Short mmCIF file of all heavy atoms in Angstrom, two decimals:
data_model
loop_
_atom_site.label_atom_id
_atom_site.label_comp_id
_atom_site.label_asym_id
_atom_site.label_seq_id
_atom_site.Cartn_x
_atom_site.Cartn_y
_atom_site.Cartn_z
N GLU A 1305 2.85 17.79 61.73
CA GLU A 1305 3.37 18.44 60.52
C GLU A 1305 4.31 19.59 60.87
O GLU A 1305 5.34 19.79 60.20
CB GLU A 1305 2.19 18.95 59.67
CG GLU A 1305 1.38 17.82 59.05
CD GLU A 1305 0.17 18.34 58.29
OE1 GLU A 1305 -0.32 19.44 58.65
OE2 GLU A 1305 -0.29 17.66 57.35
N HIS A 1306 3.97 20.34 61.90
CA HIS A 1306 4.87 21.42 62.33
C HIS A 1306 6.21 20.86 62.81
O HIS A 1306 7.28 21.45 62.54
CB HIS A 1306 4.22 22.23 63.46
CG HIS A 1306 3.05 23.05 63.01
ND1 HIS A 1306 3.04 23.74 61.83
CD2 HIS A 1306 1.84 23.29 63.60
CE1 HIS A 1306 1.90 24.38 61.68
NE2 HIS A 1306 1.14 24.12 62.74
N ALA A 1307 6.16 19.73 63.52
CA ALA A 1307 7.39 19.12 64.02
C ALA A 1307 8.27 18.64 62.88
O ALA A 1307 9.50 18.76 62.93
CB ALA A 1307 7.04 17.96 64.95
N PHE A 1308 7.64 18.11 61.82
CA PHE A 1308 8.45 17.65 60.68
C PHE A 1308 9.08 18.84 59.94
O PHE A 1308 10.23 18.76 59.49
CB PHE A 1308 7.60 16.83 59.72
CG PHE A 1308 8.39 16.28 58.56
CD1 PHE A 1308 9.28 15.24 58.73
CD2 PHE A 1308 8.26 16.85 57.29
CE1 PHE A 1308 10.02 14.74 57.66
CE2 PHE A 1308 8.99 16.36 56.22
CZ PHE A 1308 9.88 15.31 56.41
N ALA A 1309 8.31 19.93 59.82
CA ALA A 1309 8.86 21.13 59.19
C ALA A 1309 10.05 21.66 59.99
O ALA A 1309 11.07 22.09 59.42
CB ALA A 1309 7.78 22.20 59.07
N ASP A 1310 9.95 21.59 61.32
CA ASP A 1310 11.05 22.02 62.18
C ASP A 1310 12.26 21.10 62.01
O ASP A 1310 13.41 21.56 61.99
CB ASP A 1310 10.60 22.02 63.64
CG ASP A 1310 11.69 22.49 64.58
OD1 ASP A 1310 12.10 23.66 64.48
OD2 ASP A 1310 12.14 21.66 65.43
N LEU A 1311 12.00 19.79 61.86
CA LEU A 1311 13.09 18.83 61.66
C LEU A 1311 13.80 19.10 60.34
O LEU A 1311 15.05 19.05 60.26
CB LEU A 1311 12.55 17.40 61.68
CG LEU A 1311 13.56 16.29 61.38
CD1 LEU A 1311 14.68 16.27 62.42
CD2 LEU A 1311 12.86 14.93 61.32
N GLU A 1312 13.03 19.41 59.29
CA GLU A 1312 13.65 19.72 58.00
C GLU A 1312 14.55 20.96 58.10
O GLU A 1312 15.64 20.99 57.50
CB GLU A 1312 12.56 19.94 56.94
CG GLU A 1312 11.89 18.67 56.46
CD GLU A 1312 10.93 18.93 55.33
OE1 GLU A 1312 10.10 19.86 55.46
OE2 GLU A 1312 11.00 18.21 54.31
N ALA A 1313 14.09 21.97 58.84
CA ALA A 1313 14.90 23.18 59.00
C ALA A 1313 16.21 22.88 59.72
O ALA A 1313 17.29 23.38 59.33
CB ALA A 1313 14.10 24.24 59.75
N LYS A 1314 16.13 22.04 60.75
CA LYS A 1314 17.35 21.68 61.49
C LYS A 1314 18.26 20.79 60.65
O LYS A 1314 19.49 20.85 60.79
CB LYS A 1314 16.96 20.98 62.79
CG LYS A 1314 16.29 21.92 63.79
CD LYS A 1314 15.80 21.20 65.03
CE LYS A 1314 15.18 22.20 66.01
NZ LYS A 1314 14.62 21.57 67.20
N HIS A 1315 17.65 19.99 59.78
CA HIS A 1315 18.47 19.17 58.88
C HIS A 1315 19.24 20.05 57.90
O HIS A 1315 20.41 19.77 57.58
CB HIS A 1315 17.57 18.18 58.12
CG HIS A 1315 18.31 17.41 57.07
ND1 HIS A 1315 19.18 16.39 57.36
CD2 HIS A 1315 18.31 17.53 55.70
CE1 HIS A 1315 19.68 15.89 56.24
NE2 HIS A 1315 19.17 16.57 55.22
N GLU A 1316 18.60 21.13 57.43
CA GLU A 1316 19.29 22.06 56.53
C GLU A 1316 20.49 22.69 57.22
O GLU A 1316 21.54 22.92 56.60
CB GLU A 1316 18.31 23.15 56.08
CG GLU A 1316 17.21 22.67 55.16
CD GLU A 1316 17.74 22.19 53.83
OE1 GLU A 1316 18.78 22.71 53.38
OE2 GLU A 1316 17.12 21.30 53.23
N GLU A 1317 20.38 22.97 58.51
CA GLU A 1317 21.51 23.54 59.25
C GLU A 1317 22.68 22.56 59.30
O GLU A 1317 23.84 22.96 59.23
CB GLU A 1317 21.07 23.90 60.67
CG GLU A 1317 20.04 25.02 60.73
CD GLU A 1317 19.61 25.32 62.17
OE1 GLU A 1317 20.22 24.72 63.09
OE2 GLU A 1317 18.70 26.14 62.37
N VAL A 1318 22.34 21.26 59.38
CA VAL A 1318 23.40 20.25 59.41
C VAL A 1318 24.09 20.16 58.07
O VAL A 1318 25.34 20.18 57.97
CB VAL A 1318 22.83 18.88 59.82
CG1 VAL A 1318 23.89 17.78 59.66
CG2 VAL A 1318 22.32 18.91 61.25
N THR A 1319 23.29 20.06 57.00
CA THR A 1319 23.89 19.87 55.67
C THR A 1319 24.66 21.09 55.19
O THR A 1319 25.57 20.97 54.35
CB THR A 1319 22.79 19.53 54.65
OG1 THR A 1319 21.77 20.56 54.65
CG2 THR A 1319 22.14 18.19 54.97
N MET A 1320 24.32 22.28 55.71
CA MET A 1320 25.07 23.48 55.32
C MET A 1320 26.51 23.42 55.81
O MET A 1320 27.40 24.11 55.27
CB MET A 1320 24.39 24.72 55.89
CG MET A 1320 23.09 25.08 55.19
SD MET A 1320 23.33 25.63 53.49
CE MET A 1320 24.17 27.19 53.78
N LEU A 1321 26.79 22.62 56.82
CA LEU A 1321 28.14 22.51 57.38
C LEU A 1321 28.92 21.34 56.81
O LEU A 1321 30.03 21.06 57.26
CB LEU A 1321 28.04 22.36 58.90
CG LEU A 1321 27.36 23.53 59.64
CD1 LEU A 1321 27.17 23.18 61.11
CD2 LEU A 1321 28.18 24.81 59.49
N ILE A 1322 28.34 20.63 55.81
CA ILE A 1322 29.00 19.45 55.24
C ILE A 1322 29.60 19.81 53.88
O ILE A 1322 28.92 20.37 53.02
CB ILE A 1322 27.99 18.29 55.08
CG1 ILE A 1322 27.44 17.87 56.45
CG2 ILE A 1322 28.66 17.11 54.40
CD1 ILE A 1322 26.37 16.81 56.37
N GLU A 1323 30.87 19.48 53.69
CA GLU A 1323 31.54 19.70 52.41
C GLU A 1323 31.72 18.41 51.64
O GLU A 1323 31.73 18.41 50.41
CB GLU A 1323 32.90 20.36 52.64
CG GLU A 1323 32.81 21.75 53.26
CD GLU A 1323 34.17 22.37 53.49
OE1 GLU A 1323 35.18 21.70 53.16
OE2 GLU A 1323 34.24 23.51 53.97
N ASP A 1324 31.84 17.31 52.34
CA ASP A 1324 32.08 16.02 51.69
C ASP A 1324 30.77 15.48 51.09
O ASP A 1324 29.75 15.40 51.77
CB ASP A 1324 32.63 15.04 52.73
CG ASP A 1324 32.99 13.71 52.09
OD1 ASP A 1324 33.94 13.65 51.32
OD2 ASP A 1324 32.24 12.74 52.37
N ASP A 1325 30.81 15.11 49.80
CA ASP A 1325 29.60 14.63 49.10
C ASP A 1325 29.08 13.32 49.68
O ASP A 1325 27.86 13.13 49.80
CB ASP A 1325 29.91 14.45 47.61
CG ASP A 1325 30.13 15.78 46.91
OD1 ASP A 1325 29.69 16.81 47.47
OD2 ASP A 1325 30.74 15.79 45.81
N GLU A 1326 29.98 12.43 50.02
CA GLU A 1326 29.55 11.13 50.54
C GLU A 1326 28.84 11.30 51.88
O GLU A 1326 27.80 10.68 52.14
CB GLU A 1326 30.76 10.22 50.72
CG GLU A 1326 30.38 8.82 51.18
CD GLU A 1326 31.58 7.89 51.24
OE1 GLU A 1326 32.68 8.29 50.77
OE2 GLU A 1326 31.42 6.78 51.78
N GLN A 1327 29.38 12.15 52.73
CA GLN A 1327 28.73 12.41 54.02
C GLN A 1327 27.38 13.12 53.83
O GLN A 1327 26.41 12.85 54.53
CB GLN A 1327 29.64 13.26 54.90
CG GLN A 1327 29.11 13.43 56.31
CD GLN A 1327 30.06 14.24 57.19
OE1 GLN A 1327 31.07 14.77 56.72
NE2 GLN A 1327 29.74 14.35 58.47
N PHE A 1328 27.35 14.01 52.83
CA PHE A 1328 26.10 14.70 52.53
C PHE A 1328 25.01 13.71 52.10
O PHE A 1328 23.86 13.80 52.55
CB PHE A 1328 26.34 15.74 51.43
CG PHE A 1328 25.10 16.47 51.00
CD1 PHE A 1328 24.65 17.57 51.70
CD2 PHE A 1328 24.37 16.03 49.90
CE1 PHE A 1328 23.50 18.24 51.30
CE2 PHE A 1328 23.21 16.69 49.50
CZ PHE A 1328 22.78 17.80 50.21
N ASN A 1329 25.36 12.77 51.23
CA ASN A 1329 24.40 11.76 50.77
C ASN A 1329 23.91 10.89 51.92
O ASN A 1329 22.74 10.48 51.97
CB ASN A 1329 25.03 10.89 49.69
CG ASN A 1329 25.28 11.67 48.40
OD1 ASN A 1329 24.58 12.64 48.11
ND2 ASN A 1329 26.29 11.25 47.63
N GLU A 1330 24.80 10.61 52.85
CA GLU A 1330 24.41 9.81 54.02
C GLU A 1330 23.38 10.55 54.87
O GLU A 1330 22.39 9.96 55.33
CB GLU A 1330 25.66 9.49 54.85
CG GLU A 1330 25.35 8.63 56.08
CD GLU A 1330 26.59 8.33 56.89
OE1 GLU A 1330 27.71 8.61 56.40
OE2 GLU A 1330 26.43 7.81 58.02
N GLU A 1331 23.58 11.84 55.06
CA GLU A 1331 22.63 12.63 55.84
C GLU A 1331 21.28 12.77 55.11
O GLU A 1331 20.23 12.81 55.74
CB GLU A 1331 23.20 14.03 56.13
CG GLU A 1331 24.46 14.02 56.98
CD GLU A 1331 24.22 13.44 58.35
OE1 GLU A 1331 23.06 13.45 58.83
OE2 GLU A 1331 25.21 12.96 58.98
N GLU A 1332 21.33 12.80 53.77
CA GLU A 1332 20.09 12.88 52.99
C GLU A 1332 19.28 11.59 53.12
O GLU A 1332 18.04 11.62 53.16
CB GLU A 1332 20.42 13.15 51.52
CG GLU A 1332 20.76 14.60 51.22
CD GLU A 1332 19.62 15.53 51.57
OE1 GLU A 1332 18.52 15.41 50.98
OE2 GLU A 1332 19.81 16.40 52.45
N ARG A 1333 19.99 10.45 53.16
CA ARG A 1333 19.28 9.19 53.37
C ARG A 1333 18.58 9.17 54.72
O ARG A 1333 17.47 8.62 54.86
CB ARG A 1333 20.25 8.01 53.23
CG ARG A 1333 20.67 7.72 51.80
CD ARG A 1333 21.38 6.39 51.70
NE ARG A 1333 22.68 6.41 52.37
CZ ARG A 1333 23.83 6.77 51.79
NH1 ARG A 1333 23.83 7.14 50.51
NH2 ARG A 1333 24.96 6.75 52.45
N TYR A 1334 19.19 9.80 55.69
CA TYR A 1334 18.60 9.88 57.03
C TYR A 1334 17.27 10.65 57.00
O TYR A 1334 16.25 10.20 57.53
CB TYR A 1334 19.59 10.57 57.99
CG TYR A 1334 19.00 10.97 59.32
CD1 TYR A 1334 18.90 10.06 60.37
CD2 TYR A 1334 18.53 12.28 59.53
CE1 TYR A 1334 18.35 10.44 61.58
CE2 TYR A 1334 17.99 12.66 60.74
CZ TYR A 1334 17.90 11.74 61.76
OH TYR A 1334 17.35 12.11 62.98
N ILE A 1335 17.28 11.82 56.34
CA ILE A 1335 16.04 12.64 56.32
C ILE A 1335 14.98 11.99 55.44
O ILE A 1335 13.77 12.14 55.67
CB ILE A 1335 16.36 14.08 55.85
CG1 ILE A 1335 15.18 15.01 56.19
CG2 ILE A 1335 16.65 14.10 54.37
CD1 ILE A 1335 14.91 15.16 57.66
N GLU A 1336 15.41 11.24 54.41
CA GLU A 1336 14.44 10.54 53.56
C GLU A 1336 13.71 9.45 54.35
O GLU A 1336 12.49 9.24 54.16
CB GLU A 1336 15.15 9.93 52.35
CG GLU A 1336 15.56 10.96 51.31
CD GLU A 1336 16.38 10.36 50.19
OE1 GLU A 1336 16.62 9.13 50.23
OE2 GLU A 1336 16.81 11.11 49.29
N GLN A 1337 14.39 8.76 55.22
CA GLN A 1337 13.74 7.77 56.07
C GLN A 1337 12.74 8.42 57.01
O GLN A 1337 11.64 7.92 57.22
CB GLN A 1337 14.81 6.99 56.86
CG GLN A 1337 15.68 6.09 56.00
CD GLN A 1337 16.77 5.41 56.81
OE1 GLN A 1337 16.94 5.68 58.01
NE2 GLN A 1337 17.53 4.53 56.16
N CYS A 1338 13.17 9.57 57.57
CA CYS A 1338 12.24 10.30 58.44
C CYS A 1338 11.00 10.76 57.67
O CYS A 1338 9.87 10.70 58.17
CB CYS A 1338 12.95 11.52 59.05
SG CYS A 1338 14.32 11.12 60.16
N GLN A 1339 11.21 11.21 56.45
CA GLN A 1339 10.10 11.68 55.62
C GLN A 1339 9.14 10.54 55.27
O GLN A 1339 7.91 10.72 55.28
CB GLN A 1339 10.65 12.31 54.34
CG GLN A 1339 9.57 12.93 53.47
CD GLN A 1339 10.15 13.52 52.20
OE1 GLN A 1339 10.97 12.89 51.52
NE2 GLN A 1339 9.75 14.73 51.87
N GLU A 1340 9.67 9.38 54.97
CA GLU A 1340 8.82 8.24 54.63
C GLU A 1340 7.93 7.85 55.82
O GLU A 1340 6.73 7.63 55.67
CB GLU A 1340 9.68 7.04 54.21
CG GLU A 1340 8.85 5.83 53.81
CD GLU A 1340 9.72 4.67 53.37
OE1 GLU A 1340 10.97 4.85 53.28
OE2 GLU A 1340 9.18 3.58 53.12
N THR A 1341 8.53 7.80 57.01
CA THR A 1341 7.75 7.50 58.22
C THR A 1341 6.67 8.55 58.45
O THR A 1341 5.53 8.24 58.79
CB THR A 1341 8.67 7.41 59.44
OG1 THR A 1341 9.68 6.42 59.22
CG2 THR A 1341 7.89 7.05 60.69
N PHE A 1342 7.06 9.80 58.26
CA PHE A 1342 6.12 10.91 58.45
C PHE A 1342 4.94 10.81 57.48
O PHE A 1342 3.78 10.95 57.89
CB PHE A 1342 6.87 12.23 58.25
CG PHE A 1342 5.97 13.42 58.04
CD1 PHE A 1342 5.29 14.00 59.09
CD2 PHE A 1342 5.79 13.95 56.76
CE1 PHE A 1342 4.46 15.09 58.89
CE2 PHE A 1342 4.97 15.04 56.55
CZ PHE A 1342 4.29 15.61 57.62
N LEU A 1343 5.22 10.56 56.21
CA LEU A 1343 4.16 10.53 55.20
C LEU A 1343 3.20 9.36 55.43
O LEU A 1343 1.98 9.48 55.25
CB LEU A 1343 4.76 10.45 53.80
CG LEU A 1343 5.49 11.72 53.32
CD1 LEU A 1343 6.15 11.48 51.97
CD2 LEU A 1343 4.53 12.89 53.24
N ARG A 1344 3.73 8.21 55.81
CA ARG A 1344 2.87 7.05 56.06
C ARG A 1344 1.88 7.32 57.19
O ARG A 1344 0.69 7.02 57.07
CB ARG A 1344 3.72 5.82 56.39
CG ARG A 1344 4.49 5.25 55.21
CD ARG A 1344 5.26 4.01 55.60
NE ARG A 1344 6.03 3.48 54.50
CZ ARG A 1344 5.55 2.66 53.55
NH1 ARG A 1344 4.28 2.31 53.62
NH2 ARG A 1344 6.31 2.23 52.58
N LEU A 1345 2.37 7.89 58.26
CA LEU A 1345 1.49 8.16 59.41
C LEU A 1345 0.51 9.29 59.08
O LEU A 1345 -0.65 9.26 59.50
CB LEU A 1345 2.33 8.52 60.63
CG LEU A 1345 1.55 8.70 61.95
CD1 LEU A 1345 0.66 7.49 62.23
CD2 LEU A 1345 2.51 8.93 63.10
N LYS A 1346 0.97 10.26 58.30
CA LYS A 1346 0.08 11.35 57.89
C LYS A 1346 -1.08 10.82 57.06
O LYS A 1346 -2.25 11.21 57.25
CB LYS A 1346 0.87 12.39 57.10
CG LYS A 1346 0.00 13.55 56.60
CD LYS A 1346 0.84 14.55 55.81
CE LYS A 1346 -0.05 15.67 55.27
NZ LYS A 1346 0.73 16.66 54.48
N ILE A 1347 -0.79 9.91 56.13
CA ILE A 1347 -1.83 9.32 55.29
C ILE A 1347 -2.81 8.52 56.14
O ILE A 1347 -4.03 8.58 55.94
CB ILE A 1347 -1.21 8.45 54.19
CG1 ILE A 1347 -0.46 9.33 53.19
CG2 ILE A 1347 -2.26 7.61 53.48
CD1 ILE A 1347 0.36 8.54 52.17
N ASP A 1348 -2.29 7.75 57.10
CA ASP A 1348 -3.16 6.98 57.99
C ASP A 1348 -4.11 7.89 58.77
O ASP A 1348 -5.30 7.60 58.92
CB ASP A 1348 -2.33 6.14 58.97
CG ASP A 1348 -1.61 5.00 58.28
OD1 ASP A 1348 -2.01 4.65 57.15
OD2 ASP A 1348 -0.65 4.46 58.86
#
């Protein structure tokens, strides 16, 4: 859980440097996939 929180913080640093909406949405899909994997294993 600490590692995922750290990943989210680093993802915020990436998205803060993005101005293009399409690129921003692409990066959000990336973190959503990571979150889904994280939640499934956490529940298990």
Side-chain angles (χ1 to χ4, degrees):
E1305 291 176 334
H1306 290 319
F1308 182 73
D1310 181 64
L1311 176 62
E1312 285 186 311
K1314 291 175 178 177
H1315 174 74
E1316 291 295 330
E1317 294 179 6
V1318 172
T1319 56
M1320 287 293 292
L1321 299 173
I1322 298 176
E1323 297 179 359
D1324 184 69
D1325 291 340
E1326 184 175 352
Q1327 187 178 6
F1328 177 84
N1329 292 333
E1330 181 180 349
E1331 297 298 336
E1332 282 300 299
R1333 286 192 292 271
Y1334 168 84
I1335 195 64
E1336 286 174 0
Q1337 292 176 354
C1338 295
Q1339 185 182 46
E1340 182 178 355
T1341 302
F1342 164 76
L1343 291 175
R1344 288 182 182 276
L1345 186 52
K1346 178 181 178 180
I1347 292 172
D1348 290 343

